[in-house]
Amino acid sequence: DSRIHPPSIHSCSCERDADTSTDTQKTAMWKAFQRQAPSLSSSIKRHTVHRTLPTHPLHLFRIIQDVDQYQNFIPYCIQSTVLRTHPDGRTFDGKLIIGYPSLFFTEEYVSRVQVNPESMTITANSIESHLFDSLSSKWALEGVQGPQDDGEDLQCEVHFEVAIHVSNPIISRALDAALPKIAEDQVKAFAKRCQQIEYPPGLVGTRMHETAALRQ
């Protein structure tokens, strides 16, 4: 028979069913990928530095609070500004513009900084950032006896932690190599700053058991 016959209704129905089934599978796979994508693409980069510095802990504590001066001594810091101080007197918002030459990008972000003189801690958590999902850091300081062991030789035990939550895979890979150096360089910069800035008069000769009275 040379006549052209239209496809049977049965064959068309099977093809439509097959197409529908394939589309359903693709949709299900795509939704599953979307659910998994955040956990696959986002990550937290973290680094911690422990050091004992030959400076009074309150001296370092006050230098860490002085965000306006960061641009004068912290590596990669292009600009630093305190935007506002909160009514409690222990919280302020600061803006930093950071340039990372090895990573080929510049970031401007605002952090909320909380100062606790009783526990000798300073924490900063980003509230505005362009490149990072979040950026946080914490300084924890403690006075320890120095090598002279005479009660006068007070040094500072430093625990500094920085954590960056980032989704951009390029920046994430770059931070794997760069973040440890960035954190170490920051601590070194603060240690050097402590040597450049004279102790406030009230800290000279302060014994360990008297330090708490100055945390005001």
Side-chain angles (χ1 to χ4, degrees):
D1 190 350
S2 60
R3 290 177 298 176
I4 299 175
H5 298 279
S8 66
I9 296 177
H10 178 71
S11 71
C12 289
S13 176
C14 289
E15 290 175 4
R16 284 197 300 269
D17 290 344
D19 290 343
T20 302
S21 177
T22 301
D23 290 342
T24 301
Q25 290 176 352
K26 290 180 178 178
T27 301
M29 291 174 64
W30 175 245
K31 289 182 177 179
F33 174 79
Q34 287 180 311
R35 288 194 299 269
Q36 295 177 17
S39 62
L40 292 174
S41 61
S42 63
S43 61
I44 297 179
K45 307 300 178 181
R46 192 186 309 272
H47 188 75
T48 302
V49 180
H50 294 277
R51 291 286 183 275
T52 300
L53 303 181
T55 189
H56 196 289
L58 282 177
H59 187 43
L60 176 57
F61 190 78
R62 292 171 178 176
I63 289 175
I64 296 171
Q65 294 181 61
D66 196 5
V67 171
D68 283 326
Q69 294 299 316
Y70 281 12
Q71 60 195 2
N72 296 324
F73 69 95
I74 292 183
Y76 323 114
C77 184
I78 300 171
Q79 182 180 330
S80 57
T81 309
V82 173
L83 300 177
R84 65 190 69 87
T85 301
H86 293 252
D88 64 5
R90 296 188 174 193
T91 306
F92 61 90
D93 297 342
K95 181 179 75 173
L96 296 183
I97 300 178
I98 306 293
Y100 300 107
S102 61
L103 303 182
F104 305 103
F105 67 79
T106 299
E107 167 67 337
E108 176 179 332
Y109 63 94
V110 177
S111 291
R112 183 147 296 161
V113 182
Q114 294 183 308
V115 177
N116 189 327
E118 287 77 27
S119 64
M120 294 290 282
T121 58
I122 298 176
T123 59
N125 294 285
S126 62
I127 55 177
E128 297 177 20
S129 179
H130 301 290
L131 297 178
F132 307 132
D133 298 332
S134 67
L135 187 152
S136 64
S137 66
K138 180 177 181 180
W139 292 88
L141 312 180
E142 183 179 356
V144 295
Q145 180 61 56
Q148 299 300 323
D149 196 24
D150 58 2
E152 300 286 348
D153 187 19
L154 189 62
Q155 297 189 341
C156 183
E157 186 173 294
V158 176
H159 177 102
F160 174 65
E161 181 179 31
V162 59
I164 301 177
H165 189 183
V166 58
S167 297
N168 185 304
I170 297 175
I171 296 176
S172 179
R173 286 193 295 271
L175 285 173
D176 285 334
L179 185 58
K181 184 179 187 313
I182 292 171
E184 296 282 350
D185 285 350
Q186 280 204 33
V187 174
K188 289 178 182 178
F190 278 99
K192 184 177 180 180
R193 185 71 169 177
C194 287
Q195 302 303 314
Q196 294 172 338
I197 303 296
E198 293 185 2
Y199 280 20
L203 296 184
V204 177
T206 303
R207 295 176 181 270
M208 292 182 67
H209 67 276
E210 297 171 336
T211 302
L214 294 174
R215 295 178 183 173
Q216 303 297 333

